[in-house]
Amino acid sequence: MAGVSEIVVGGSVLALAEGDITRFTADAIVNAANSRLAGGGGVDGAIHRAGGPSIMAELDRIRAEIGSCPTGDAVVTAAGDLPARWVIHAVGPVYRDGKQGEPELLAACYRRALELAAAHSARSISFPAISAGIYGYPVAEAARIAVSTVASGLRQGESSVERATFVLFGREVFDIFAAALDRQGRPSADG
Ligand code: AR6
């Protein structure tokens, strides 16, 4: 399935790319972190490996200050060796059955990441499919929430973000996001 790979929302571009987010240049890269901000596998492991130890050193300082980052929230560090200025460490929910507030928490962490990007005057931001790996969120549902939340954040128009890109690992996840973006881009979904 081809699907669309970008749409214009509120004067900004919402795009999809397939690949490794650590190789993708953007002002801000979003990490799928855990609330301990302790690093881990998946995209979190890749970001710390590629970005180098300065990112964890900064998270150590943040942890000393705030303890942990609640699910649905995010914190910002510099991006070390990554092709970016900031990493926004967003904490998505662990998926149980979808009735434990997971949709709201997933939407909250995308909204928060966009807010933090705007607070740092970022013009471009890249997102992974938060919660859709180790945290077990069904990908189609995670994609629908991700695309609609970021689209509505961009549509509000006061953001510095001119380009938001979902950088997706593997063709399968890309195609699922493409279907969600396609639905979002239709006039009826766009309001
Ligand atoms: N670039 C882009 N996407 C990636 C990359 C990459 N380099 N690597 C993996 N993905 P996950 P979660 C995709 O598991 O579900 C960690 O241990 C992956 O295929 O990284 O939010 C944290 O510390 C999937 O589609 O994040 C937390 O404890 C998506 O990124 C926990 O995992 C998200 O998968 C967070 O789990």
Side-chain angles (χ1 to χ4, degrees):
M1 192 196 75
V4 278
S5 59
E6 68 179 53
I7 61 173
V8 176
V9 193
S12 303
V13 175
L14 178 53
L16 304 183
E18 184 185 346
D20 177 352
I21 200 168
T22 67
R23 308 183 76 106
F24 192 88
T25 300
D27 289 342
I29 293 181
V30 177
N31 183 17
N34 54 66
S35 50
R36 287 164 288 113
L37 304 172
V43 71
D44 197 1
I47 281 175
H48 283 283
R49 273 194 304 279
S54 64
I55 297 176
M56 189 53 82
E58 197 173 341
L59 287 174
D60 289 342
R61 291 194 291 277
I62 291 171
R63 213 180 301 112
E65 228 172 83
I66 67 168
S68 63
C69 179
T71 302
D73 203 349
V75 302
V76 184
T77 66
D81 299 331
L82 290 166
R85 298 177 67 187
W86 301 284
V87 177
I88 299 174
H89 305 264
V91 182
V94 175
Y95 188 85
R96 297 204 167 81
D97 58 4
K99 297 175 186 154
Q100 316 299 318
E102 297 95 329
E104 294 76 18
L105 289 166
L106 186 60
C109 75
Y110 280 106
R111 264 197 306 274
R112 186 73 183 125
L114 267 182
E115 272 168 27
L116 288 170
H120 288 76
S121 305
R123 294 166 65 185
S124 55
I125 182 170
S126 58
F127 292 95
I130 299 171
S131 286
I134 294 165
Y135 280 180
Y137 216 112
V139 181
E141 187 53 14
R144 190 188 65 73
I145 293 168
V147 167
S148 67
T149 306
V150 173
S152 82
L154 294 176
R155 201 177 287 121
Q156 272 156 28
E158 72 239 356
S159 174
S160 59
V161 173
E162 294 165 2
R163 189 175 187 88
T165 308
F166 290 102
V167 182
L168 303 158
F169 219 41
R171 191 72 206 179
E172 200 183 324
V173 179
F174 178 92
D175 283 346
I176 292 170
F177 269 73
L181 191 70
D182 190 24
R183 277 194 300 277
Q184 185 68 42
R186 287 188 199 145
S188 60
D190 207 20

